[in-house]
Amino acid sequence: MHVADALRGAAGRLAEAGVEQPRRSAELLLAEALGWERVRLITHPEAEIGAETQARFERDVERRASGEPLQYILGRQEFYGLDFEVGPGVLIPRPETELLVEQALARLRNGDKVCDVGVGSGAIAVAIAAERTDVGVFGVDFSRAALNAARGNARRHGARVGLCRSDLLSALGADKLDMVVSNPPYVAEAARSELQRELAFEPQEALFAGPDGLDCYTRLIPQAAHVLKPGGTLLLELGHDSLPGVSAMLEGGKWGPPEVFADLAGIPRVVAVQRLASWA
């Protein structure tokens, strides 16, 4: 079989299965199976595909047709200019989370200690550590699979990131950190049936957070107030309708006025707030 024929058939199969951007998916899967750059498929449509490569390609196409995320099949996802290994059991980094990294980097000072809560693949922590070698970066997660993935990605990029298993910030002591960052679970259970089928392949505990999507914020925000030094910063990623509920949790005298930052779609995506030096 030739490259052009393989791509035509695979794109048709994926379109039939309801996969978005079927041609792009087919090209990425075939390039991976061949060990080529994607552009080479365009310049060599007449190239023949060996039987073993074709069999692998067809298996991968069927995995994608079933709804499995392309990132799991390829085993990687780009985030903040870095390539991260991902796989089942680890949340796939999203482009909108780069705003959280940008806001963290803008606030960090030399010698600060920052903790990424729910470290997952390590995308946030590694991106920060790669940019700022003058700060101490830590990551916590309850999932052993996530910690293993984060450890591998930190090694991959030569990033110094301390990692430990913890239920949110419960393993940390008081007044230890200058910054806490987190992309917590924030999808409401009620929205489960409306989401893309690809999300069924990702770790559900990293996506869903109770009936209104606020359960994790309810636990994390008080813990962050405990572990942050006076004047320390809490940065949280928000779901598309999380802001009102999260704003209410930041009232009560422990936090200063919140700053909210929208993503490219205009959705409030990140909130930044400082722990007050003295609580009311």
Side-chain angles (χ1 to χ4, degrees), residues 40-87:
R40 190 174 173 187
L41 299 175
I42 300 169
T43 58
H44 294 79
E46 79 292 343
E48 291 190 1
I49 301 171
E52 186 175 338
T53 299
Q54 182 178 338
R56 173 186 170 178
F57 176 56
E58 290 174 354
R59 287 196 301 270
D60 288 348
V61 167
E62 286 308 310
R63 289 172 65 185
R64 185 70 188 101
S66 75
E68 185 173 352
L70 183 64
Q71 295 91 335
Y72 283 173
I73 302 171
L74 297 177
R76 62 184 181 275
Q77 169 67 17
E78 197 237 351
F79 179 85
Y80 215 78
L82 302 172
D83 212 26
F84 287 85
E85 293 184 354
V86 295

Side-chain angles (χ1 to χ4, degrees), residues 115 117-118 140-142 164-172 182 184-185 215-221 223:
C115 182
V117 183
V140 295
D141 207 300
F142 194 71
C164 77
R165 189 167 185 250
S166 175
D167 181 12
L168 300 181
L169 290 162
S170 60
L172 280 70
S182 184
D215 282 8
C216 193
Y217 297 114
T218 302
R219 298 176 55 224
L220 177 56
I221 289 172
Q223 289 184 17

Side-chain angles (χ1 to χ4, degrees), residues 192-211:
R192 188 183 287 267
S193 61
E194 304 168 11
L195 297 177
Q196 294 176 317
R197 58 179 178 162
E198 282 84 355
L199 291 177
F201 288 83
E202 296 192 64
Q204 302 300 283
E205 66 276 10
L207 292 168
F208 296 97

Side-chain angles (χ1 to χ4, degrees), residues 147-160:
L147 289 169
N148 287 335
R151 191 171 291 112
N153 281 316
R155 283 197 301 265
R156 178 186 180 94
H157 295 293
R160 297 182 63 181

Side-chain angles (χ1 to χ4, degrees), residues 124-146:
I124 296 169
V126 171
I128 292 173
E131 292 284 332
R132 294 292 300 271
T133 58
D134 60 327
V135 302
V137 183
F138 306 89
V140 295
D141 207 300
F142 194 71
S143 164
R144 297 185 190 280

Side-chain angles (χ1 to χ4, degrees), residues 262-275:
D263 61 20
L264 294 177
I267 298 170
R269 184 58 66 185
V270 171
V271 62
V273 66
Q274 280 190 305
R275 195 200 117 172

